[in-house]
Amino acid sequence: MTALLVIFLILWAVSGVGLIVFVLLHSGKGTGLSDMIASSLYSTQTGTNIIEKNLDRITIILAVVFLVCLIALMFVYPQGTISA
């Protein structure tokens, strides 16, 4: 294992766990079809506060890091190189 492979694997795993945690931290907007219909009719959107905006930013950054690491791992560790 090369150092580059280890770095990408650790970054990929940390960003994956972080992505799960931050997605679960998001507040729910509604719990069913009736809430979806009611929200479109009554548009009571008051805007998001700064905490929710930062939570969105962190989630997007973690998703981008996860995808970049995944694509980089495809090139660093190509298919067929794993020997049992």
Side-chain angles (χ1 to χ4, degrees):
M1 270 196 186
T2 63
L4 186 63
L5 177 63
V6 172
I7 289 171
F8 277 127
L9 283 173
I10 291 172
L11 203 64
W12 179 67
V14 169
S15 65
V17 171
L19 192 58
I20 292 170
V21 169
F22 279 98
V23 165
L24 290 175
L25 282 175
H26 282 279
S27 62
K29 301 294 183 203
T31 58
L33 186 60
S34 62
D35 286 331
M36 289 174 24
I37 295 170
S39 67
S40 66
L41 292 176
Y42 296 114
S43 186
T44 59
Q45 185 178 17
T46 59
T48 57
N49 57 12
I50 192 72
I51 295 172
E52 290 179 4
K53 286 181 182 179
N54 287 336
L55 190 61
D56 290 340
R57 288 182 188 136
I58 292 171
T59 305
I60 291 170
I61 290 169
L62 283 173
V64 168
V65 168
F66 184 82
L67 288 175
V68 167
C69 285
L70 193 63
I71 292 170
L73 281 171
M74 287 179 6
F75 292 112
V76 172
Y77 210 43
Q79 182 181 7
T81 59
I82 299 175
S83 59

